[in-house]
Amino acid sequence: MSDVNCTHNCNTCGETCGSRQEDQTSFLEPLNPVSTVKKVIGVVSGKGGVGKSLVTTMMAVRMQAKGYKTAILDGDITGPSIPKALGITAAGIGVTPNNLMIPATTATGIEVMSSNLILDHETDPVIWRGPVVAGVVKQFWQEVLWENIDYMFVDMPPGTGDVPLTVFQSLPLDGIIIVTSPQELVSMIVAKAVNMAKKMNIPILGLIENMSYLSCPDCGKKISVFGESRIDQVAQEHGLEVLARIPIDPKIAESVDGGLAEYLESPWLDEAVSAAEKA
Ligand code: ADP
């Protein structure tokens, strides 16, 4: 039952308001008692194929290189690409005596859990319905041994449908990064992601535009392959910052698709790394 003083706005209501507690905390899934994760940052995109996994992977690589104990929860259950980008297999994963999954560890020590690490074959399709997919993400949060993690990056399920919504509600996200590409219907798709985050009271750290431009290998001129970017205008409309513009670069595709993302330099993420540190 509602508190008599309920303002029907959880941002202004007192902590004791019955409705506030019901609305704000009931969907958050607790972490298991032996795990600690200090900051959780979600990486979101309006649709697949824009570079969400690239950003998740490279943010984790950068934070780990800065000395933070970093983890990746691959919430893209039906299109998991993180293990491949980091060159890891199921070999490292296991189960603790109290039945928690032990994540895989990359060469530099990033801890990773992904649906691709628990399938019998890497090429097996994941043909699960939405609630099952969302349930697996929750299990990756609750039933994995996440030991002393400073930063966890969550590769969120793409889009703004039921599955990402459940993940938004279940994980205690400290902030999200929205990844987009110039050829998307940027303003509409970004607006959807922004509105979803605002409804859930999750801070948006900023926008990242991937495949922003191509640098001519001969003269260095920046070519806007997909036409002039509208990212600044979109960011301004929503009062957000543009944290990075990532070029189209065959080196990126080669490193990521060849499992060598940890050895890829990413000067384009400097500002995004600072934003994550301030989250
Ligand atoms: P998403 O997670 O949004 O589905 P990915 O990060 O998996 O997208 O990227 C899709 C594909 O595009 C991958 O093969 C990746 O290597 C490639 N790719 C992404 N960004 C770039 C880029 N800036 N330059 C070159 N290739 C890229």
Side-chain angles (χ1 to χ4, degrees):
M1 214 176 43
S2 245
D3 193 287
V4 280
N5 298 317
C6 180
T7 61
H8 301 288
N9 175 353
C10 295
N11 289 322
T12 57
C13 245
E15 296 239 316
T16 52
C17 175
S19 300
R20 171 192 164 106
Q21 281 171 4
E22 209 176 283
D23 288 339
Q24 297 289 293
T25 58
S26 61
F27 297 112
L28 278 183
E29 302 286 348
L31 198 56
N32 59 72
V34 285
S35 293
T36 38
V37 180
K38 288 191 192 135
K39 293 272 179 217
V40 185
I41 295 175
V43 183
V44 174
S45 70
K47 66 178 182 81
V50 299
K52 180 171 55 63
S53 305
L54 167 75
V55 170
T56 310
T57 306
M58 295 315 299
M59 285 299 292
V61 167
R62 292 288 301 271
M63 296 305 268
Q64 179 77 11
K66 286 198 99 173
Y68 298 108
K69 183 88 197 72
T70 306
I72 300 178
L73 189 162
D74 187 357
D76 197 345
I77 302 294
T78 52
S81 43
I82 303 281
K84 190 161 188 283
L86 290 166
I88 50 169
T89 62
I93 70 166
V95 180
T96 66
N98 49 351
N99 281 334
L100 292 176
M101 290 181 265
I102 300 170
T105 307
T106 69
T108 63
I110 302 169
E111 307 211 332
V112 182
M113 185 46 80
S114 166
S115 62
N116 238 19
L117 298 173
I118 54 169
L119 296 173
D120 284 339
H121 309 285
E122 196 184 67
T123 49
D124 285 350
V126 175
I127 34 182
W128 301 330
R129 293 197 187 271
V132 178
V133 171
V136 173
V137 180
K138 283 190 218 170
Q139 277 185 298
F140 282 176
W141 168 248
Q142 289 189 297
E143 295 174 30
V144 170
L145 178 64
W146 297 117
E147 265 186 317
N148 300 321
I149 303 296
D150 294 316
Y151 278 93
M152 174 185 278
F153 290 91
V154 183
D155 191 355
M156 298 284 278
T160 47
D162 184 47
V163 178
L165 186 72
T166 309
V167 176
F168 260 88
Q169 288 177 321
S170 312
L171 267 51
L173 294 164
D174 292 287
I176 60 159
I177 292 171
I178 300 175
V179 184
T180 178
S181 61
Q183 79 273 38
E184 267 194 272
L185 298 165
V186 173
S187 51
M188 188 189 77
I189 289 176
V190 169
K192 275 187 202 284
V194 169
N195 289 334
M196 188 153 128
K198 282 189 176 159
K199 282 203 172 113
M200 310 270 155
N201 282 327
I202 298 166
I204 302 167
L205 305 186
L207 306 178
I208 292 187
E209 186 178 69
N210 185 26
M211 308 190 198
S212 205
Y213 60 89
L214 176 79
S215 289
C216 170
D218 298 322
C219 66
K221 189 179 167 215
K222 288 185 178 177
I223 304 162
S224 303
V225 180
F226 300 111
E228 271 320 304
S229 164
R230 294 181 49 223
I231 194 79
D232 288 319
Q233 190 191 328
V234 172
Q236 209 178 1
E237 274 166 26
H238 296 283
L240 297 172
E241 260 185 81
V242 179
L243 298 176
R245 290 176 168 79
I246 308 178
I248 301 176
D249 187 342
K251 257 194 271 154
I252 296 178
E254 247 170 60
S255 305
V256 171
D257 301 339
L260 298 169
E262 274 176 310
Y263 308 101
L264 176 68
E265 297 206 339
S266 55
W268 18 267
L269 278 184
D270 289 353
E271 220 178 298
V273 168
S274 307
E277 284 185 299
K278 289 184 207 136

